[in-house]
Amino acid sequence: MAAERAKAEPSTQIWNDPNAVPYIRIENVTKKFGDFVAVNNVSANIYRGELFALLGGSGCGKTTLLRMLAGFEQPTSGKIYIDGVDMADIPPYERPTNMMFQSYALFPHMTVEQNVAFGLKQDRMPVDQIKSRVDAILDMVQMRQFAHRKPHQLSGGQRQRVALARSLVKEPKLLLLDEPLGALDKKLREATQFEIMNIQDRLGITFIVVTHDQEEAMTLSTRIGVMNSGQIVQVGTPKEIYEYPNTKFVADFIGSVNLFEGHIIEDEPGHVLIDSAEAGTPIYIDHGISSAPGAKVWVAIRPEKMELSKANEGIGRNCAPGIVKGIAYMGNMSVYLIKLDSGKEVKVTMSNQRRAAEHAIDWDDKVYVSWHANSPVALLS
């Protein structure tokens, strides 16, 4: 999973300041199409200069929410404010927003330069200012040398950059991006993610990105809003979402995770002990969760936070025996599929730090899976 964004977050996590004024306020917004509820009573605050990602699977409501911000759809109920202004009666072309569509929507008969300049010409900007601004934005996205080509003469990645330039050239206060990198191959997508981050950082524009790609959201965003069934179920920084999911859905949706069902047998302020038949070992966590003994919980442990050994190094907890049923070599790491004695299958990832290292653990070996007491997260739902 990609590391949390390296650049400085706006105003040192301004969202944690109770006196901070949100740039975008989404208040109890619901959108229905007939009897179908696409967005269900969503509320969220987004701050100036953020690169905020709406993350979720197909049909979760993220694109509908983005279209309501742009003005292409109207909420059935609720309010949307941008910079303190109620957007209810403001049409898309008068909003301080621009939207980059998933399909890019470039004009095929126009050159790159003409595509980028189109919106400025519609605004009747003076010709010399149009040229100056178009040249500058094409330099920024490294497409100046292709200014006189048409879209069919460009690669997918180059078309993506043109669409981004066209969205940025009008200098909107808010840029909305709908699956902006979905058409790119993995290597180009990774490179373009960092380009978007650098451009956003230089211009200071507030970005909202819709994506179904967890790694993309983790790499790009200052914060993520995870959506499920029309609702935002958790908002947090990439680190918060990954390390401290608040539900089983979020834990399972973000990255890879091993989930164990169990019951609390001891809950103290400094630790919790969980009995789990699936794990085949008592699970000790070095923090409490404020729940009554006997409560049903799910314990989430990331594969990279587990360790493998042929020796039983446990002390009666957080160490489960099993058999290696599969090994996948991924280059920078190897993924081990372990069938525990309880019958539960778990994944364990181990870094390949040395080239062509001989692994001490092989198929069908008897092993012990263990983890540190601060690695698991106990979830009540």
PDB file of all heavy atoms in Angstrom, residues 329-357:
ATOM      1  N   TYR A 329       5.662 -14.703  -5.281  1.00  0.00           N
ATOM      2  CA  TYR A 329       6.807 -13.786  -5.322  1.00  0.00           C
ATOM      3  C   TYR A 329       6.400 -12.540  -6.097  1.00  0.00           C
ATOM      4  O   TYR A 329       6.028 -12.616  -7.273  1.00  0.00           O
ATOM      5  CB  TYR A 329       8.003 -14.460  -5.979  1.00  0.00           C
ATOM      6  CG  TYR A 329       9.205 -13.551  -6.119  1.00  0.00           C
ATOM      7  CD1 TYR A 329      10.009 -13.274  -5.018  1.00  0.00           C
ATOM      8  CD2 TYR A 329       9.529 -12.966  -7.336  1.00  0.00           C
ATOM      9  CE1 TYR A 329      11.111 -12.438  -5.124  1.00  0.00           C
ATOM     10  CE2 TYR A 329      10.623 -12.125  -7.459  1.00  0.00           C
ATOM     11  CZ  TYR A 329      11.407 -11.863  -6.352  1.00  0.00           C
ATOM     12  OH  TYR A 329      12.494 -11.029  -6.461  1.00  0.00           O
ATOM     13  N   MET A 330       6.441 -11.354  -5.439  1.00  0.00           N
ATOM     14  CA  MET A 330       5.979 -10.107  -6.057  1.00  0.00           C
ATOM     15  C   MET A 330       7.121  -9.147  -6.356  1.00  0.00           C
ATOM     16  O   MET A 330       6.890  -7.997  -6.684  1.00  0.00           O
ATOM     17  CB  MET A 330       4.971  -9.415  -5.115  1.00  0.00           C
ATOM     18  CG  MET A 330       3.853 -10.305  -4.631  1.00  0.00           C
ATOM     19  SD  MET A 330       2.754 -10.852  -5.958  1.00  0.00           S
ATOM     20  CE  MET A 330       1.919  -9.318  -6.351  1.00  0.00           C
ATOM     21  N   GLY A 331       8.360  -9.632  -6.263  1.00  0.00           N
ATOM     22  CA  GLY A 331       9.507  -8.765  -6.502  1.00  0.00           C
ATOM     23  C   GLY A 331       9.993  -8.138  -5.215  1.00  0.00           C
ATOM     24  O   GLY A 331      10.938  -8.623  -4.590  1.00  0.00           O
ATOM     25  N   ASN A 332       9.328  -7.040  -4.806  1.00  0.00           N
ATOM     26  CA  ASN A 332       9.762  -6.360  -3.585  1.00  0.00           C
ATOM     27  C   ASN A 332       9.307  -7.083  -2.321  1.00  0.00           C
ATOM     28  O   ASN A 332       9.802  -6.807  -1.225  1.00  0.00           O
ATOM     29  CB  ASN A 332       9.248  -4.916  -3.560  1.00  0.00           C
ATOM     30  CG  ASN A 332       7.734  -4.841  -3.552  1.00  0.00           C
ATOM     31  OD1 ASN A 332       7.052  -5.698  -4.107  1.00  0.00           O
ATOM     32  ND2 ASN A 332       7.195  -3.814  -2.919  1.00  0.00           N
ATOM     33  N   MET A 333       8.358  -7.994  -2.472  1.00  0.00           N
ATOM     34  CA  MET A 333       7.886  -8.746  -1.320  1.00  0.00           C
ATOM     35  C   MET A 333       7.358 -10.096  -1.780  1.00  0.00           C
ATOM     36  O   MET A 333       7.143 -10.338  -2.977  1.00  0.00           O
ATOM     37  CB  MET A 333       6.778  -7.979  -0.586  1.00  0.00           C
ATOM     38  CG  MET A 333       5.507  -7.829  -1.399  1.00  0.00           C
ATOM     39  SD  MET A 333       4.218  -6.940  -0.508  1.00  0.00           S
ATOM     40  CE  MET A 333       2.874  -7.049  -1.723  1.00  0.00           C
ATOM     41  N   SER A 334       7.153 -10.997  -0.812  1.00  0.00           N
ATOM     42  CA  SER A 334       6.508 -12.279  -1.076  1.00  0.00           C
ATOM     43  C   SER A 334       5.262 -12.377  -0.212  1.00  0.00           C
ATOM     44  O   SER A 334       5.242 -11.908   0.932  1.00  0.00           O
ATOM     45  CB  SER A 334       7.451 -13.442  -0.752  1.00  0.00           C
ATOM     46  OG  SER A 334       8.524 -13.490  -1.668  1.00  0.00           O
ATOM     47  N   VAL A 335       4.223 -12.958  -0.777  1.00  0.00           N
ATOM     48  CA  VAL A 335       2.956 -13.134  -0.063  1.00  0.00           C
ATOM     49  C   VAL A 335       2.787 -14.614   0.238  1.00  0.00           C
ATOM     50  O   VAL A 335       2.842 -15.455  -0.664  1.00  0.00           O
ATOM     51  CB  VAL A 335       1.771 -12.624  -0.903  1.00  0.00           C
ATOM     52  CG1 VAL A 335       0.456 -12.788  -0.122  1.00  0.00           C
ATOM     53  CG2 VAL A 335       1.965 -11.165  -1.301  1.00  0.00           C
ATOM     54  N   TYR A 336       2.574 -14.916   1.515  1.00  0.00           N
ATOM     55  CA  TYR A 336       2.412 -16.294   1.961  1.00  0.00           C
ATOM     56  C   TYR A 336       0.945 -16.534   2.331  1.00  0.00           C
ATOM     57  O   TYR A 336       0.359 -15.741   3.070  1.00  0.00           O
ATOM     58  CB  TYR A 336       3.293 -16.578   3.182  1.00  0.00           C
ATOM     59  CG  TYR A 336       4.768 -16.511   2.891  1.00  0.00           C
ATOM     60  CD1 TYR A 336       5.440 -15.282   2.870  1.00  0.00           C
ATOM     61  CD2 TYR A 336       5.503 -17.666   2.642  1.00  0.00           C
ATOM     62  CE1 TYR A 336       6.794 -15.216   2.595  1.00  0.00           C
ATOM     63  CE2 TYR A 336       6.865 -17.606   2.374  1.00  0.00           C
ATOM     64  CZ  TYR A 336       7.502 -16.372   2.352  1.00  0.00           C
ATOM     65  OH  TYR A 336       8.844 -16.312   2.084  1.00  0.00           O
ATOM     66  N   LEU A 337       0.393 -17.617   1.803  1.00  0.00           N
ATOM     67  CA  LEU A 337      -0.953 -18.044   2.185  1.00  0.00           C
ATOM     68  C   LEU A 337      -0.809 -19.153   3.217  1.00  0.00           C
ATOM     69  O   LEU A 337      -0.236 -20.214   2.926  1.00  0.00           O
ATOM     70  CB  LEU A 337      -1.727 -18.536   0.973  1.00  0.00           C
ATOM     71  CG  LEU A 337      -3.169 -19.004   1.241  1.00  0.00           C
ATOM     72  CD1 LEU A 337      -4.032 -17.838   1.717  1.00  0.00           C
ATOM     73  CD2 LEU A 337      -3.777 -19.633  -0.016  1.00  0.00           C
ATOM     74  N   ILE A 338      -1.310 -18.880   4.419  1.00  0.00           N
ATOM     75  CA  ILE A 338      -1.153 -19.813   5.538  1.00  0.00           C
ATOM     76  C   ILE A 338      -2.525 -20.334   5.952  1.00  0.00           C
ATOM     77  O   ILE A 338      -3.435 -19.539   6.211  1.00  0.00           O
ATOM     78  CB  ILE A 338      -0.487 -19.135   6.750  1.00  0.00           C
ATOM     79  CG1 ILE A 338       0.776 -18.370   6.341  1.00  0.00           C
ATOM     80  CG2 ILE A 338      -0.204 -20.166   7.842  1.00  0.00           C
ATOM     81  CD1 ILE A 338       1.864 -19.225   5.751  1.00  0.00           C
ATOM     82  N   LYS A 339      -2.648 -21.656   5.992  1.00  0.00           N
ATOM     83  CA  LYS A 339      -3.865 -22.248   6.538  1.00  0.00           C
ATOM     84  C   LYS A 339      -3.604 -22.576   8.002  1.00  0.00           C
ATOM     85  O   LYS A 339      -2.797 -23.448   8.340  1.00  0.00           O
ATOM     86  CB  LYS A 339      -4.261 -23.511   5.782  1.00  0.00           C
ATOM     87  CG  LYS A 339      -5.600 -24.080   6.253  1.00  0.00           C
ATOM     88  CD  LYS A 339      -6.075 -25.222   5.374  1.00  0.00           C
ATOM     89  CE  LYS A 339      -7.453 -25.695   5.807  1.00  0.00           C
ATOM     90  NZ  LYS A 339      -7.940 -26.817   4.949  1.00  0.00           N
ATOM     91  N   LEU A 340      -4.273 -21.819   8.891  1.00  0.00           N
ATOM     92  CA  LEU A 340      -4.090 -22.026  10.321  1.00  0.00           C
ATOM     93  C   LEU A 340      -4.705 -23.357  10.742  1.00  0.00           C
ATOM     94  O   LEU A 340      -5.569 -23.914  10.052  1.00  0.00           O
ATOM     95  CB  LEU A 340      -4.727 -20.881  11.110  1.00  0.00           C
ATOM     96  CG  LEU A 340      -4.209 -19.461  10.806  1.00  0.00           C
ATOM     97  CD1 LEU A 340      -4.943 -18.443  11.667  1.00  0.00           C
ATOM     98  CD2 LEU A 340      -2.707 -19.368  11.014  1.00  0.00           C
ATOM     99  N   ASP A 341      -4.286 -23.852  11.900  1.00  0.00           N
ATOM    100  CA  ASP A 341      -4.839 -25.105  12.412  1.00  0.00           C
ATOM    101  C   ASP A 341      -6.344 -24.991  12.644  1.00  0.00           C
ATOM    102  O   ASP A 341      -7.067 -26.002  12.642  1.00  0.00           O
ATOM    103  CB  ASP A 341      -4.142 -25.498  13.716  1.00  0.00           C
ATOM    104  CG  ASP A 341      -2.728 -26.015  13.483  1.00  0.00           C
ATOM    105  OD1 ASP A 341      -2.302 -26.046  12.301  1.00  0.00           O
ATOM    106  OD2 ASP A 341      -2.047 -26.369  14.463  1.00  0.00           O
ATOM    107  N   SER A 342      -6.829 -23.768  12.844  1.00  0.00           N
ATOM    108  CA  SER A 342      -8.272 -23.556  13.025  1.00  0.00           C
ATOM    109  C   SER A 342      -9.049 -23.720  11.732  1.00  0.00           C
ATOM    110  O   SER A 342     -10.282 -23.788  11.740  1.00  0.00           O
ATOM    111  CB  SER A 342      -8.504 -22.140  13.567  1.00  0.00           C
ATOM    112  OG  SER A 342      -8.120 -21.168  12.593  1.00  0.00           O
ATOM    113  N   GLY A 343      -8.350 -23.769  10.585  1.00  0.00           N
ATOM    114  CA  GLY A 343      -8.994 -23.837   9.279  1.00  0.00           C
ATOM    115  C   GLY A 343      -9.064 -22.500   8.569  1.00  0.00           C
ATOM    116  O   GLY A 343      -9.348 -22.444   7.365  1.00  0.00           O
ATOM    117  N   LYS A 344      -8.815 -21.420   9.272  1.00  0.00           N
ATOM    118  CA  LYS A 344      -8.831 -20.076   8.696  1.00  0.00           C
ATOM    119  C   LYS A 344      -7.587 -19.856   7.842  1.00  0.00           C
ATOM    120  O   LYS A 344      -6.477 -20.220   8.230  1.00  0.00           O
ATOM    121  CB  LYS A 344      -8.862 -19.043   9.822  1.00  0.00           C
ATOM    122  CG  LYS A 344      -8.780 -17.600   9.381  1.00  0.00           C
ATOM    123  CD  LYS A 344     -10.120 -17.071   8.923  1.00  0.00           C
ATOM    124  CE  LYS A 344     -10.072 -15.565   8.703  1.00  0.00           C
ATOM    125  NZ  LYS A 344     -11.366 -15.027   8.256  1.00  0.00           N
ATOM    126  N   GLU A 345      -7.757 -19.265   6.654  1.00  0.00           N
ATOM    127  CA  GLU A 345      -6.624 -18.930   5.799  1.00  0.00           C
ATOM    128  C   GLU A 345      -6.286 -17.456   5.954  1.00  0.00           C
ATOM    129  O   GLU A 345      -7.179 -16.597   5.956  1.00  0.00           O
ATOM    130  CB  GLU A 345      -6.923 -19.254   4.336  1.00  0.00           C
ATOM    131  CG  GLU A 345      -6.984 -20.750   4.049  1.00  0.00           C
ATOM    132  CD  GLU A 345      -7.040 -21.071   2.566  1.00  0.00           C
ATOM    133  OE1 GLU A 345      -7.350 -20.155   1.774  1.00  0.00           O
ATOM    134  OE2 GLU A 345      -6.773 -22.227   2.197  1.00  0.00           O
ATOM    135  N   VAL A 346      -4.997 -17.162   6.112  1.00  0.00           N
ATOM    136  CA  VAL A 346      -4.547 -15.782   6.258  1.00  0.00           C
ATOM    137  C   VAL A 346      -3.403 -15.518   5.289  1.00  0.00           C
ATOM    138  O   VAL A 346      -2.735 -16.443   4.821  1.00  0.00           O
ATOM    139  CB  VAL A 346      -4.076 -15.489   7.706  1.00  0.00           C
ATOM    140  CG1 VAL A 346      -5.212 -15.689   8.690  1.00  0.00           C
ATOM    141  CG2 VAL A 346      -2.872 -16.331   8.082  1.00  0.00           C
ATOM    142  N   LYS A 347      -3.215 -14.228   4.994  1.00  0.00           N
ATOM    143  CA  LYS A 347      -2.101 -13.804   4.163  1.00  0.00           C
ATOM    144  C   LYS A 347      -1.060 -13.099   5.028  1.00  0.00           C
ATOM    145  O   LYS A 347      -1.400 -12.294   5.904  1.00  0.00           O
ATOM    146  CB  LYS A 347      -2.571 -12.856   3.059  1.00  0.00           C
ATOM    147  CG  LYS A 347      -3.386 -13.533   1.966  1.00  0.00           C
ATOM    148  CD  LYS A 347      -3.780 -12.529   0.901  1.00  0.00           C
ATOM    149  CE  LYS A 347      -4.589 -13.197  -0.205  1.00  0.00           C
ATOM    150  NZ  LYS A 347      -5.013 -12.221  -1.245  1.00  0.00           N
ATOM    151  N   VAL A 348       0.209 -13.389   4.764  1.00  0.00           N
ATOM    152  CA  VAL A 348       1.319 -12.741   5.449  1.00  0.00           C
ATOM    153  C   VAL A 348       2.284 -12.244   4.377  1.00  0.00           C
ATOM    154  O   VAL A 348       2.656 -13.003   3.472  1.00  0.00           O
ATOM    155  CB  VAL A 348       2.047 -13.715   6.395  1.00  0.00           C
ATOM    156  CG1 VAL A 348       3.191 -13.002   7.110  1.00  0.00           C
ATOM    157  CG2 VAL A 348       1.078 -14.326   7.404  1.00  0.00           C
ATOM    158  N   THR A 349       2.673 -10.973   4.448  1.00  0.00           N
ATOM    159  CA  THR A 349       3.634 -10.446   3.476  1.00  0.00           C
ATOM    160  C   THR A 349       4.971 -10.213   4.160  1.00  0.00           C
ATOM    161  O   THR A 349       5.030  -9.741   5.300  1.00  0.00           O
ATOM    162  CB  THR A 349       3.146  -9.127   2.850  1.00  0.00           C
ATOM    163  OG1 THR A 349       2.955  -8.155   3.869  1.00  0.00           O
ATOM    164  CG2 THR A 349       1.846  -9.328   2.102  1.00  0.00           C
ATOM    165  N   MET A 350       6.038 -10.561   3.449  1.00  0.00           N
ATOM    166  CA  MET A 350       7.394 -10.366   3.965  1.00  0.00           C
ATOM    167  C   MET A 350       8.235  -9.681   2.905  1.00  0.00           C
ATOM    168  O   MET A 350       8.192 -10.044   1.725  1.00  0.00           O
ATOM    169  CB  MET A 350       8.006 -11.713   4.370  1.00  0.00           C
ATOM    170  CG  MET A 350       7.255 -12.386   5.518  1.00  0.00           C
ATOM    171  SD  MET A 350       7.951 -13.997   5.975  1.00  0.00           S
ATOM    172  CE  MET A 350       9.568 -13.512   6.597  1.00  0.00           C
ATOM    173  N   SER A 351       9.004  -8.690   3.320  1.00  0.00           N
ATOM    174  CA  SER A 351       9.833  -7.921   2.401  1.00  0.00           C
ATOM    175  C   SER A 351      11.012  -8.763   1.919  1.00  0.00           C
ATOM    176  O   SER A 351      11.641  -9.485   2.695  1.00  0.00           O
ATOM    177  CB  SER A 351      10.344  -6.663   3.099  1.00  0.00           C
ATOM    178  OG  SER A 351      11.236  -5.953   2.281  1.00  0.00           O
ATOM    179  N   ASN A 352      11.307  -8.649   0.607  1.00  0.00           N
ATOM    180  CA  ASN A 352      12.485  -9.311   0.031  1.00  0.00           C
ATOM    181  C   ASN A 352      13.630  -8.312   0.017  1.00  0.00           C
ATOM    182  O   ASN A 352      13.843  -7.587  -0.957  1.00  0.00           O
ATOM    183  CB  ASN A 352      12.174  -9.799  -1.390  1.00  0.00           C
ATOM    184  CG  ASN A 352      11.103 -10.867  -1.400  1.00  0.00           C
ATOM    185  OD1 ASN A 352      11.053 -11.722  -0.516  1.00  0.00           O
ATOM    186  ND2 ASN A 352      10.226 -10.830  -2.392  1.00  0.00           N
ATOM    187  N   GLN A 353      14.363  -8.262   1.091  1.00  0.00           N
ATOM    188  CA  GLN A 353      15.393  -7.241   1.243  1.00  0.00           C
ATOM    189  C   GLN A 353      16.704  -7.600   0.548  1.00  0.00           C
ATOM    190  O   GLN A 353      17.511  -6.729   0.248  1.00  0.00           O
ATOM    191  CB  GLN A 353      15.644  -6.988   2.729  1.00  0.00           C
ATOM    192  CG  GLN A 353      14.421  -6.412   3.444  1.00  0.00           C
ATOM    193  CD  GLN A 353      14.684  -6.146   4.906  1.00  0.00           C
ATOM    194  OE1 GLN A 353      15.729  -6.510   5.429  1.00  0.00           O
ATOM    195  NE2 GLN A 353      13.737  -5.505   5.573  1.00  0.00           N
ATOM    196  N   ARG A 354      16.920  -8.885   0.306  1.00  0.00           N
ATOM    197  CA  ARG A 354      18.160  -9.303  -0.356  1.00  0.00           C
ATOM    198  C   ARG A 354      17.845  -9.996  -1.667  1.00  0.00           C
ATOM    199  O   ARG A 354      16.926 -10.815  -1.742  1.00  0.00           O
ATOM    200  CB  ARG A 354      18.945 -10.248   0.560  1.00  0.00           C
ATOM    201  CG  ARG A 354      19.559  -9.557   1.768  1.00  0.00           C
ATOM    202  CD  ARG A 354      20.240 -10.542   2.692  1.00  0.00           C
ATOM    203  NE  ARG A 354      19.277 -11.465   3.290  1.00  0.00           N
ATOM    204  CZ  ARG A 354      19.614 -12.502   4.054  1.00  0.00           C
ATOM    205  NH1 ARG A 354      20.889 -12.766   4.280  1.00  0.00           N
ATOM    206  NH2 ARG A 354      18.688 -13.277   4.583  1.00  0.00           N
ATOM    207  N   ARG A 355      18.609  -9.674  -2.704  1.00  0.00           N
ATOM    208  CA  ARG A 355      18.391 -10.254  -4.023  1.00  0.00           C
ATOM    209  C   ARG A 355      18.654 -11.755  -3.989  1.00  0.00           C
ATOM    210  O   ARG A 355      19.659 -12.231  -3.456  1.00  0.00           O
ATOM    211  CB  ARG A 355      19.321  -9.584  -5.041  1.00  0.00           C
ATOM    212  CG  ARG A 355      19.130 -10.105  -6.465  1.00  0.00           C
ATOM    213  CD  ARG A 355      20.079  -9.420  -7.414  1.00  0.00           C
ATOM    214  NE  ARG A 355      19.832  -7.977  -7.465  1.00  0.00           N
ATOM    215  CZ  ARG A 355      20.605  -7.133  -8.131  1.00  0.00           C
ATOM    216  NH1 ARG A 355      21.677  -7.576  -8.749  1.00  0.00           N
ATOM    217  NH2 ARG A 355      20.327  -5.849  -8.139  1.00  0.00           N
ATOM    218  N   ALA A 356      17.714 -12.492  -4.582  1.00  0.00           N
ATOM    219  CA  ALA A 356      17.846 -13.947  -4.739  1.00  0.00           C
ATOM    220  C   ALA A 356      18.111 -14.653  -3.405  1.00  0.00           C
ATOM    221  O   ALA A 356      18.805 -15.658  -3.336  1.00  0.00           O
ATOM    222  CB  ALA A 356      18.946 -14.290  -5.744  1.00  0.00           C
ATOM    223  N   ALA A 357      17.551 -14.090  -2.336  1.00  0.00           N
ATOM    224  CA  ALA A 357      17.745 -14.713  -1.023  1.00  0.00           C
ATOM    225  C   ALA A 357      17.011 -16.045  -0.953  1.00  0.00           C
ATOM    226  O   ALA A 357      15.923 -16.207  -1.488  1.00  0.00           O
ATOM    227  CB  ALA A 357      17.230 -13.775   0.068  1.00  0.00           C
TER     228      ALA A 357
END
